[in-house]
Amino acid sequence: MANLLVLGTQWGDEGKGKIVDLLTPAFDVVARYQGGHNAGHTVWVHGKKIVLHLIPSGVLHPGTLCVIGNGLVLSPSAFFRETADLEAQGVDAGPGRIAVSRGAHLIMPWHPLAERASEDRRGDKKIGTTCRGIGPAYEDKAARLGVRAGDLADLRVLREKIDDAVAAKEPLFQALRLPALDAEAIFSEYAGWAEKLGPYLRDVSELLDERMKLGQSVLFEGAQGALLDLDHGTYPYVTSSSSTAGGAATGLGVGPRAIHGVLGITKAYTTRVGSGPFPTELRDDLGRTIATRGDEFGATTGRPRRCGWFDAVAVRYACRVNGVDRIALTKPDVLAGLGEIPVCTGYRYKGAALKSFPAEPWVLEDVVPEYRKLPGWPASLHGAAEPGSLPKTFVDYVRVLEDLVETKVAIVSTGVERGQTVFFDEELRGFVDLAKVRAAAAG
Ligand code: GDP
Ligand code: IMO
Ligand code: MG
């Protein structure tokens, strides 16, 4: 069976949660491969809103196994807050449904504290992180100081690792004038989590291999977006993990050939939360209007998202870096009725045209976007579910975008609900079992 990878092609919040939930009925397993509870993936079902942070966005479909890979950093308190919220809404979030990799690194109490201090120190150069401890947890992983979920299985090992890490952090905490860390208290908190998390812990690489050998299919779910990737994003204004497609292989322990197709989730305009270059940003009332209409407030932190026009240079770059096969275009309904819609087709830097997306943020900060204005579309787009009901000017917009980013659009999302989606069957053939998806979306 074909496995599909779904990821964001911009700076996150493209609507991955909606699309993953929508496509899940065609898959047996949904597996997150990186990030942590910095993510906020929104799913609407019959007027009810559910925001997922750590748990894969397929969890609302009872038959699906949800997997949290070794590439994630996991806060036990955030994880159990989320399972409790789901259970309160009648969703089974127990170990029969969710598997957590023993290799996932744990977010420890010192991580958010160190992160806040680091952001304060950067002053006006701050990254604008979610302050969930994500970056420092990945720092400890790279520094080989991390505590992994599998370490919870042996409390002696856990105690030793906490003692070592606390000793290593001491000089930093003293220099930052932060209160000293209490290894004993931290150990007793995490020993408590050990008992609760134990039943969820699995060898995820082995589990996925077994499932795939049984002929089951996997939907790989990326968090954040390609432009927030640690290597390929707008460094240093990025997250600390590999959100690009390659991250799925390392973040789950599957070979790259297990990924049969890549679906890029792309917003019809652009948003960004936190600091960093954003060439097409609208710093005016129009930007604020789009933010209000699109409800562009962080699903995790509630921060307002910066809004701007569609940037074809950035999305073409993301399609290349990830080998995107098809695009799911989301939120065009937000732009309905705005009149002409500009699309960024190129950048100029110091007077010269740039051939591709620049790697250096200081170059990106200074590029001058070139725009092509396209006719807008009417509000009738909202909620459309059939290709024939899409306004002609919008279909023309899609064709121009496809040419600019050199990738075909296979899905258009026209609202928050599952049924508010248009599928271009011929584009999706070979990637998903559309009959299953359509049947579930209609229900
Ligand atoms: P994610 O992080 O990529 O999963 O995206 P978020 O959930 O953070 O943000 C996307 C927001 O857009 C959520 O509030 C979704 O409910 C909403 N959304 C998704 N698709 C559409 C769409 O086609 N139209 C509209 N108006 N909203 C959408
Ligand atoms: P989803 O999965 C949008 C941004 C933060 C900040 C930068 C680094 O919902 O699309 P971090 O806390 O990760 O160290 O912050 O990355 N960021 C996101 N922006 N959507 C997300 O996730 C994000 N996760 C992190 O705002 O600029
Ligand atoms: Mg989000």
Side-chain angles (χ1 to χ4, degrees):
M1 293 294 278
N3 303 325
L4 184 72
L5 192 150
V6 171
L7 51 69
T9 64
Q10 293 150 318
W11 280 289
D13 303 327
E14 297 90 349
K16 299 176 291 294
K18 168 180 167 167
I19 303 294
V20 169
D21 166 74
L22 180 74
L23 299 183
T24 292
F27 295 87
D28 300 292
V29 181
V30 179
R32 268 277 300 271
Y33 58 86
Q34 44 69 238
H37 65 307
N38 48 352
H41 297 171
T42 313
V43 179
W44 284 84
V45 185
H46 303 310
K48 212 166 89 178
K49 180 181 177 177
I50 294 151
V51 182
L52 297 152
H53 301 283
L54 263 170
I55 294 173
S57 306
V59 72
L60 304 181
H61 298 273
T64 311
L65 174 70
C66 291
V67 170
I68 292 179
N70 58 280
L72 279 89
V73 286
L74 184 134
S75 152
S77 58
F79 177 76
F80 286 111
R81 221 178 303 128
E82 205 166 326
T83 57
D85 280 355
L86 286 167
E87 299 272 357
Q89 299 183 70
V91 179
D92 177 3
R97 296 271 341 267
I98 300 170
V100 176
S101 168
R102 293 200 188 100
H105 279 246
L106 298 180
I107 296 187
M108 304 300 290
W110 52 84
H111 291 139
L113 297 172
E115 181 167 8
R116 263 180 228 116
S118 156
E119 284 284 87
D120 288 347
R121 184 188 55 74
R122 286 173 186 264
D124 60 6
K125 290 191 186 129
K126 71 172 188 218
I127 309 291
T129 71
T130 58
C131 282
R132 297 294 191 267
I134 306 291
Y138 281 114
E139 281 175 40
D140 277 357
K141 175 178 176 175
R144 291 152 294 181
L145 261 181
V147 182
R148 306 206 293 181
D151 298 330
L152 298 173
D154 186 329
L155 294 184
R156 260 182 330 112
V157 172
L158 179 68
R159 179 70 216 224
E160 197 179 323
K161 285 207 153 195
I162 289 175
D163 285 346
D164 287 349
V166 164
K169 300 288 160 195
E170 228 165 51
L172 174 73
F173 270 62
Q174 272 174 15
L176 293 171
R177 296 203 179 81
L178 289 171
L181 294 165
D182 180 345
E184 181 68 42
I186 295 170
F187 171 71
S188 91
E189 182 193 343
Y190 278 70
W193 296 128
E195 205 172 316
K196 283 191 82 179
L197 202 57
Y200 288 89
L201 298 183
R202 299 291 298 267
D203 179 331
V204 154
S205 168
E206 188 177 51
L207 174 67
L208 289 175
D209 188 54
E210 282 166 9
R211 294 298 181 115
M212 290 189 285
K213 281 182 175 147
L214 287 171
Q216 296 195 358
S217 55
V218 184
L219 180 58
F220 301 106
E221 178 182 10
Q224 287 77 55
L227 305 179
L228 286 171
D229 180 271
L230 181 59
D231 287 276
H232 303 288
T234 48
Y235 189 89
Y237 299 101
V238 292
T239 192
S240 303
S241 65
S242 296
S243 48
T244 40
T250 53
L252 286 160
V254 299
R257 280 195 297 256
I259 303 160
H260 303 129
V262 180
L263 180 71
I265 315 300
T266 305
K267 220 179 259 190
Y269 50 99
T270 313
T271 60
R272 172 160 211 173
V273 202
S275 323
F278 181 174
T280 62
E281 181 170 12
L282 289 161
R283 297 165 196 265
D284 55 8
D285 283 347
L286 190 51
R288 285 183 281 277
T289 302
I290 294 174
T292 307
R293 284 185 178 203
D295 196 19
E296 297 294 357
F297 296 91
T300 293
T301 58
R303 290 180 293 173
R305 296 173 181 155
R306 300 154 66 192
C307 294
W309 297 123
F310 186 85
D311 185 339
V313 184
V315 174
R316 184 168 62 238
Y317 167 77
C319 288
R320 164 160 60 80
V321 168
N322 293 288
V324 172
D325 292 294
R326 293 291 183 272
I327 281 175
L329 189 68
T330 60
K331 306 190 84 164
D333 51 299
V334 171
L335 303 181
L338 280 187
E340 279 186 327
I341 314 275
V343 170
C344 169
T345 55
Y347 299 152
R348 294 193 86 77
Y349 179 65
K350 298 192 171 169
L354 285 188
K355 270 182 83 186
S356 54
F357 192 70
E360 297 76 17
W362 65 91
V363 175
L364 196 60
E365 202 70 76
D366 275 352
V367 298
V368 179
E370 294 181 317
Y371 290 103
R372 175 165 162 196
K373 285 188 180 160
L374 298 169
W377 47 87
S380 60
L381 174 79
H382 180 70
E386 292 301 329
S389 52
L390 294 173
K392 177 169 182 322
T393 47
F394 172 68
V395 176
D396 292 343
Y397 179 84
V398 171
R399 298 297 167 236
V400 171
L401 259 47
E402 288 179 330
D403 282 347
L404 290 170
V405 305
E406 297 167 10
T407 312
K408 291 274 198 188
V409 171
I411 296 174
V412 172
S413 170
T414 60
V416 298
E417 292 276 352
R418 291 169 177 167
Q420 296 176 318
T421 312
V422 176
F423 300 102
F424 295 105
D425 305 21
E426 68 283 7
E427 300 301 340
L428 280 165
R429 214 169 289 138
F431 293 103
V432 279
D433 183 343
L434 210 52
K436 285 188 186 161
V437 172
R438 278 184 194 281

